[in-house]
Amino acid sequence: MDESGFTRFFDPGQWLQPSRGPRYEQLARHIGAAIRNAALAAGTQLPPEREIAALADVSRVTVRKAIARLVDEGLVEQRRGSGSYVRDLGGEQKLEHMLSTLTSFTDYMRRRGIEPDSRVLSAGLFAPDPTEMVALGLGAGDTVARVRRLRTADGTPMAIEASSLPSDILPRPEEVGTSLYEVLGRYGRAPVRAMQRINACSIDDPDATLMGLPVGSAVLKIDRTGYLQSGRPIEFTTGLYRGDIYDFVAELRLEHRRR
Ligand code: 16G
């Protein structure tokens, strides 16, 4: 991108919207999206901080925070003394999903400048099956809310998620559209901790067709149980995630054992 390209690219009209969160986040999303769709090619040097601040009409602190976010996300690298460069993401641009942080699909995609959406495949209140009873600590007389959704990112199917929650936590499953956690958050009932079990499996129809994948494609099956602060399990979600898009990353630390 040349100088006039950057002038247009950083113009606030291109990226700033009043209700879409802090400026540094919006700026990071704008730059991040351009890196992912290769509008900003690998190896491109970003203009110096003060120049971006002037073009984008924000403070240098805002630019610094946006760049720090992009560095965290692995999209930009800072070379000592010479500035910030777009990193080479390799041929296939997998989304790195940190396993140690509890995020919703919606947050995770929005943070990367990708627009999440959901198509609700089914939703309703049911008697719990044995798996739900065990996972959510329910009895046969209780009721569960079930929501099954096709999750898309910028219109591309990424996952099929089937979520079950006790009906006192989600009395109206039809309220869930794009984000389950947003609905739970509204009532102060979003999980604060979760356990996940990940398996590799292959996908059959009708799910394969819904995901736009050939029958038999490899997908990741992830079961998540989400808990409230009190320790009560309130979400059991089984999801099938496109193996070619998601790249789950776990940070491991050496455990210091006491002798
Ligand atoms: C993530 C969770 C899923 C949760 C959903 C909520 C994994 C493997 N799964 O996809 O358990 O229900 O986020 O997202 O991360 P939402 O608020 O966008 O509906």
Side-chain angles (χ1 to χ4, degrees):
M1 195 176 287
D2 60 12
E3 216 174 288
S4 70
F6 277 126
T7 307
R8 217 170 324 115
F9 179 74
F10 286 112
D11 186 278
Q14 298 289 324
W15 60 272
L16 188 63
Q17 281 175 34
S19 57
R20 297 272 327 255
R23 282 160 188 252
Y24 82 91
E25 265 184 29
Q26 293 195 45
L27 184 58
R29 277 204 296 264
H30 179 61
I31 302 173
I35 294 174
R36 288 183 193 288
N37 68 26
L40 281 174
T44 302
Q45 182 176 13
L46 297 179
E49 197 176 281
R50 70 184 137 65
E51 212 170 290
I52 298 181
L55 294 174
D57 196 21
V58 293
S59 71
R60 287 179 66 165
V61 176
T62 299
V63 177
R64 204 167 307 145
K65 282 173 80 175
I67 302 282
R69 164 70 63 89
L70 294 163
V71 170
D72 275 356
E73 289 175 2
L75 297 174
V76 165
E77 69 182 321
Q78 283 176 314
R79 298 183 198 156
R80 221 170 251 278
S82 83
S84 305
Y85 293 82
V86 174
R87 278 192 51 195
D88 187 353
L89 303 179
E92 202 182 341
Q93 299 185 10
K94 285 198 175 188
L95 297 174
E96 285 195 355
H97 202 145
M98 277 302 283
L99 284 175
S100 54
T101 43
L102 179 67
T103 44
S104 72
F105 182 89
T106 302
D107 277 351
Y108 174 77
M109 290 302 168
R110 285 207 179 126
R111 280 187 59 157
R112 282 160 178 74
I114 302 169
E115 200 43 45
D117 207 351
S118 295
R119 191 168 117 208
V120 177
L121 303 171
S122 60
L125 295 171
F126 300 87
D129 65 22
T131 310
E132 291 166 328
M133 281 195 247
V134 173
L136 300 170
L138 298 176
D142 292 319
T143 312
V144 283
R146 288 188 196 143
V147 183
R148 196 159 177 273
R149 293 174 296 165
L150 176 69
R151 316 294 320 255
T152 60
D154 279 348
T156 306
M158 303 283 267
I160 296 175
E161 289 184 325
S163 304
S164 305
L165 299 94
S167 59
D168 63 306
I169 296 292
L170 185 67
R172 286 180 299 278
E174 63 284 356
E175 253 183 273
V176 178
T178 299
S179 174
L180 169 66
Y181 284 12
E182 254 168 44
V183 174
L184 296 176
R186 241 184 268 151
Y187 300 111
R189 298 178 195 143
V192 296
R193 185 172 72 82
M195 289 296 286
Q196 287 187 177
R197 181 181 293 268
I198 305 180
N199 285 292
C201 70
S202 62
I203 193 165
D204 282 329
D205 264 341
D207 293 345
T209 303
L210 274 174
M211 294 265 277
L213 295 175
V215 171
S217 304
V219 289
L220 293 168
K221 176 173 176 290
I222 306 180
D223 293 338
R224 173 185 285 196
T225 310
Y227 300 84
L228 293 181
Q229 193 69 51
S230 64
R232 180 180 174 198
I234 52 120
E235 177 204 356
F236 180 67
T237 293
T238 293
L240 295 177
Y241 300 83
R242 278 180 64 150
D244 60 335
I245 290 185
Y246 265 144
D247 191 6
F248 287 88
V249 176
E251 186 187 61
L252 309 175
R253 287 177 198 270
L254 183 67
E255 188 180 320
H256 293 284
R257 291 208 189 87
R258 262 187 248 142
R259 285 170 193 262

